[in-house]
Amino acid sequence: MRIEYDIKLGFKDVMFRPKRSTLSSRSQVKLERTFRMKHTDAEWSGIPVMAANMDTVGTFEMALALYDKKLFTAIQKHYTVEEWKKFMTHAPKGVENHIALSTGTGTKDFENISRILEANPQLRFICIDVANGYSEHFVAFVKQTRKKFHEKVIIAGNVVTGEMVEELLLAGADIVKVGIGPGSVCTTRVKTGVGYPQLSAIIECADAAHGLGGQIISDGGCTTPGDVAKAFGAGADFVMLGGMLAGHDESGGDLIEKNGKKVKLFYGMSSTTAMDKHVGGVADYRASEGKTVEVPYRGKVENTVLDILGGIRSTCTYVGASKLKELTKRTTFIRVSEQENRVYTDNDE
Ligand code: 5GP
């Protein structure tokens, strides 16, 4: 047994140190970025905030709303070939640059994405998503996908350490998704004791990825616009959100009325709810590693998006970054033992 004594940090452990700057307004801050992909040499431009490929977040409706603001959506993996075809026929041109097709790593998954991509060759992004990105089988699946779909951009995850980021990039991924255990409806840390504080995971994985010309997505754990800014400040190229985008008109699932309040269901992709829905229950050799919660209904996602983007722009002005691209360079984090003053928190919600 070994213990690593370096302290690893989460979003709650730091704040940005403000810096003198010449920026006078948030409107001067540019959030759009352009990335060149490692394996395809293709370019992507947009605001690098993504909806997670979860049933109630990565919906086609969410994709249209986020595309409108130049954001990105990893579409949940349970849409059929027919549903994809219908969506792509009616979607505005350009959407294909702002959505990813998601997949697991089974033989059926591979056949399924092959069919969807054959029917919709304009799709550019494939998101290969597993809870534990440390298996040889996963690396082999990434290689197989790169071989067959050499012109597509491949996102692969999730991992939390530099050496595995490197391995996935070398296996054929362009972008590696980072995060084990920080998610709002994730119970991995409780059920398994495995995890890595997200801010440190980002710092270490970004360093490894950028050294090889790849990018990373910080996936999970953001609860406020400030957390999203911290993820970018730590070096994330993209930030993926689940809970922060749940509960809207565009989030899947029914609107439920409970004790006079409107709520929507939000659940982890390995929760009992998701497994009952998609695979006929939790197999008896495994435990559910996700929660099911009711989140307050929040109307259109556009308002939430503007709130998040406004927060990031404001962070940039506090540290003197005129572009999101400069935020990491301008970031000095201070370690803290307090965050916001919560004395009136219950009153304003
Ligand atoms: P959030 O933004 O809600 O904090 O985190 C979203 C992320 O949580 C997702 O993108 C995904 O990586 C992760 N996640 C989603 N469902 C589950 C689950 O059932 N179990 C675990 N361990 N993680 C989940």
Side-chain angles (χ1 to χ4, degrees):
M1 196 278 297
R2 245 188 85 211
I3 298 185
E4 275 185 25
Y5 286 99
D6 290 352
I7 290 186
K8 304 295 175 186
L9 304 170
F11 298 128
K12 68 170 191 351
D13 299 315
V14 300
M15 286 187 224
F16 286 95
R17 187 185 219 274
K19 290 197 172 127
R20 274 189 67 231
S21 116
T22 52
L23 289 169
S24 54
S25 158
R26 281 178 234 194
S27 62
Q28 295 173 319
V29 176
K30 182 170 172 250
L31 295 184
E32 269 179 73
R33 292 205 57 181
T34 298
F35 296 110
R36 185 166 286 283
M37 301 302 158
K38 177 178 170 65
H39 290 280
T40 53
D41 211 31
E43 274 194 359
W44 179 84
S45 295
I47 297 179
V49 174
M50 298 179 154
N53 48 321
M54 301 170 73
D55 281 9
T56 57
V57 180
T59 61
F60 285 142
E61 295 78 9
M62 185 67 75
L64 294 176
L66 296 193
Y67 169 59
D68 198 49
K69 297 277 172 279
K70 301 183 181 152
L71 277 60
F72 194 98
T73 303
I75 304 285
Q76 56 102 336
K77 71 173 184 185
H78 299 288
Y79 286 117
T80 61
V81 182
E82 291 70 39
E83 285 169 320
W84 264 105
K85 194 130 206 242
K86 188 165 162 227
F87 173 70
M88 291 309 290
T89 315
H90 295 102
K93 208 177 145 19
V95 155
E96 66 276 9
N97 295 324
H98 291 260
I99 54 178
L101 170 64
S102 303
T103 177
T105 57
T107 316
K108 281 234 167 70
D109 290 313
F110 197 75
E111 287 164 12
N112 193 44
I113 57 167
S114 301
R115 260 184 275 127
I116 294 172
L117 289 170
E118 218 165 89
N120 306 280
Q122 70 275 48
L123 287 172
R124 285 181 63 200
F125 289 79
I126 305 172
C127 176
I128 309 173
D129 189 27
V130 294
N132 171 6
Y134 283 80
S135 77
E136 272 182 20
H137 171 71
F138 177 61
V139 177
F141 192 92
V142 172
K143 283 189 185 153
Q144 181 190 358
T145 310
R146 168 57 62 216
K147 199 162 168 214
K148 174 151 185 198
F149 303 106
H150 41 86
E151 79 291 9
K152 305 289 183 199
V153 178
I154 296 179
I155 300 169
N158 279 19
V159 299
V160 285
T161 49
E163 92 283 0
M164 207 58 206
V165 168
E166 287 168 2
E167 176 146 5
L168 291 172
L169 290 173
L170 295 173
D174 298 285
I175 307 172
V176 176
K177 201 145 71 75
V178 172
I180 293 185
S184 60
V185 283
C186 166
T187 56
T188 295
R189 292 177 184 176
V190 182
K191 291 283 170 85
T192 69
V194 177
Y196 214 96
Q198 187 66 3
L199 192 93
S200 290
I202 299 168
I203 294 169
E204 294 167 26
C205 292
D207 190 48
H210 297 159
L212 288 180
Q215 275 96 35
I216 66 155
I217 299 170
S218 167
D219 175 21
C222 289
T223 59
T224 58
D227 289 343
V228 182
K230 287 174 189 176
F232 283 124
D237 302 289
F238 296 84
V239 178
M240 179 173 266
L241 305 174
M244 284 183 75
L245 298 178
H248 296 93
D249 289 335
E250 296 83 355
S251 321
D254 298 330
L255 189 59
I256 311 162
E257 189 110 13
K258 256 225 165 136
N259 305 325
K261 283 195 178 137
K262 288 182 179 161
V263 297
K264 278 196 146 190
L265 215 57
F266 175 53
Y267 50 86
M269 293 315 294
S270 24
S271 64
T272 309
T273 309
M275 288 200 258
D276 284 347
K277 191 164 175 203
H278 301 298
V279 292
V282 183
D284 56 10
Y285 60 86
R286 61 183 292 181
S288 116
E289 282 178 29
K291 292 182 215 172
T292 300
V293 296
E294 283 164 358
V295 295
Y297 168 64
R298 293 192 277 166
K300 282 189 177 314
V301 76
E302 181 185 357
N303 300 329
T304 301
V305 168
L306 294 178
D307 192 50
I308 296 170
L309 301 185
I312 306 169
R313 279 199 189 91
S314 191
T315 309
C316 288
T317 59
Y318 271 113
V319 301
S322 61
K323 301 180 188 127
L324 182 56
K325 185 173 192 277
E326 292 168 4
L327 182 57
T328 306
K329 253 187 288 167
R330 305 279 310 176
T331 293
T332 302
F333 284 127
I334 48 170
R335 271 198 69 196
V336 296
S337 53
E338 62 172 31
Q339 284 284 328
E340 87 276 30
N341 184 333
R342 296 185 64 85
V343 69
Y344 294 124
T345 303
D346 290 338
N347 295 18
D348 70 9
E349 282 182 347

